[in-house]
Each structure stands twice: as C-alpha cells, then as structure tokens.
Amino acid sequence: MGRALRADAERSVRAILEAAERVLAQDASASMEQIAEAAGLTRITVHRRFANRQALLEALALSAKQQLVDAIEEARPDAAPALVALYRVTANVLRVKDTWRFTLSHSTPHTAATAALWEEIDTRTVELLNRAQREGLLAPDADLDWTRQVYYALLSEALDRPGADQDPGAQDPDALAALVIDTLLHGAGPRD
C-alpha cells in the first residue's frame, strides 16, 4: 500500500510541475489555484506537496536542472568522438530547454541542490570542451571558460530565433544542434 501511495504522490508532483511550467509560461503571476486546476488536482493537494509558491519554483528549478543532467548523460558523451558527443548533448539539452523554457529562464535563487546540479552541468560541459580541444575541434589556445559561456548563450538563442514561431521546422532540436555546433566551431566567417 505504501508503494502505491508513493507512486501516486510522485505522479501528483510530476503533474503539478508540468502544469506549473505551462501555466507560468503563459502568466508568470498565475496562482497556485490556477496551477492546481491545470494539473487536474485540488489546491489542497498542491499545497500538500508545495507549502508555497517559492517551494514550487524551487522544485521546478531542481527538476529542470536534473533533466538537463539526465539529458547530458543520455547522450553518453564519453562514448563517442567529441564532435558527435557535442552534437548529441546539444540536441538533448535543447529538447529539455524547449520543454522547460519558463523555469530555465526564470531567476530562482539557487538552493544547495540546484547549485550542485549546475556545477555538475558546468563540469560535464568543460570536460566535453576539453575533449573537443584535444581532438582539434577548438583552437589549442581557446579560453574554455569563455567558450562555455558562448555555448550556453548559443543554446538559449537557438530556441528564440526570429521567425521560429512561424516555422515549426525551425525548432527541430537536431537542426538547432547543428546550427549551434556550426556557429560555435566556425562562427559566422567564411569557410576555407
């Protein structure tokens, strides 16, 4: 019986988080009641899982960052050449960022748990960029901290390309990953 209750609680939390992402993306000031309604749950159930709005926002941040970590791991970046790994990681991360746009762009103070996940994301990214540098994809003297920042910016900008809302194909994570990697490695200059 305890296991069924736990599974039910996990489903409720997942439904609340997914509904919160959808509702808050439409209206950042939406109430807990509106989120509960979108999740198909009562306000009391939402408040049982999340004491207040801040607790819900922190849970959203933790869930989204965990999904980013999972997306990186699912790409198995250590099992392929750096270029392939960079492409896989980028496509997977773009899928998560597209699903959790509000949460990942919303400024929520880091808890210890989210800070640890962000540190893991940064570490995995720098490891991959180091490999890319060793394999000749990046210049030997490239500043990898700066490259990481540029990479993160490209990931964010890829989802917000002008005109993308009128062309659903422009939001394809695989095509966007190719664009991000091409821009990161070659910039906008002419090709040799």
Side-chain angles (χ1 to χ4, degrees):
M1 174 101 168
R3 194 160 239 183
L5 183 60
R6 181 179 170 98
D8 185 49
E10 288 175 11
R11 275 193 300 277
S12 291
V13 168
R14 188 171 40 251
I16 293 165
L17 294 176
E18 290 171 358
E21 174 64 29
R22 287 190 313 273
V23 170
L24 293 170
Q26 296 296 316
D27 177 8
S29 65
S31 69
M32 296 284 273
E33 189 169 358
Q34 289 171 301
I35 292 167
E37 184 179 314
L41 301 167
T42 66
R43 184 180 54 79
I44 293 168
T45 301
V46 172
H47 279 287
R48 193 177 310 135
R49 304 289 181 240
F50 305 102
N52 54 43
R53 183 183 180 81
Q54 186 60 34
L56 175 60
L57 291 174
E58 288 172 4
L60 275 168
L62 184 64
S63 176
K65 285 180 178 67
Q66 181 60 57
Q67 289 183 47
L68 286 173
V69 169
D70 294 345
I72 293 167
E73 291 305 315
E74 286 171 17
R76 297 182 12 247
D78 299 328
L83 182 60
V84 173
L86 194 54
Y87 172 82
R88 286 181 190 162
V89 166
T90 302
N92 284 1
V93 165
L94 285 168
R95 284 181 182 89
V96 173
K97 286 179 74 65
D98 188 40
T99 302
W100 297 96
R101 282 180 190 238
F102 171 82
T103 300
L104 292 171
S105 66
H106 186 268
S107 171
T108 303
H110 280 298
T111 62
T114 57
L117 288 173
W118 193 249
E119 186 175 326
E120 185 175 348
I121 291 165
D122 275 346
T123 298
R124 294 300 306 236
T125 303
V126 170
E127 287 171 357
L128 184 52
L129 293 174
N130 270 311
R131 280 189 47 225
Q133 193 172 46
R134 285 191 310 273
E135 292 179 23
L137 296 173
L138 298 171
D141 60 345
D143 178 338
L144 294 186
D145 284 330
W146 174 247
T147 304
R148 177 183 47 83
Q149 284 183 267
V150 169
Y151 175 64
Y152 289 169
L154 288 170
L155 286 168
S156 293
E157 292 299 320
L159 293 171
D160 296 322
R161 292 178 61 204
D165 53 338
Q166 292 142 353
D167 179 12
Q171 292 298 319
D172 175 58
D174 294 316
L176 289 175
L179 178 64
V180 166
I181 301 307
D182 184 58
T183 305
L184 180 69
L185 298 180
H186 306 293
R191 304 286 185 239
D192 290 342

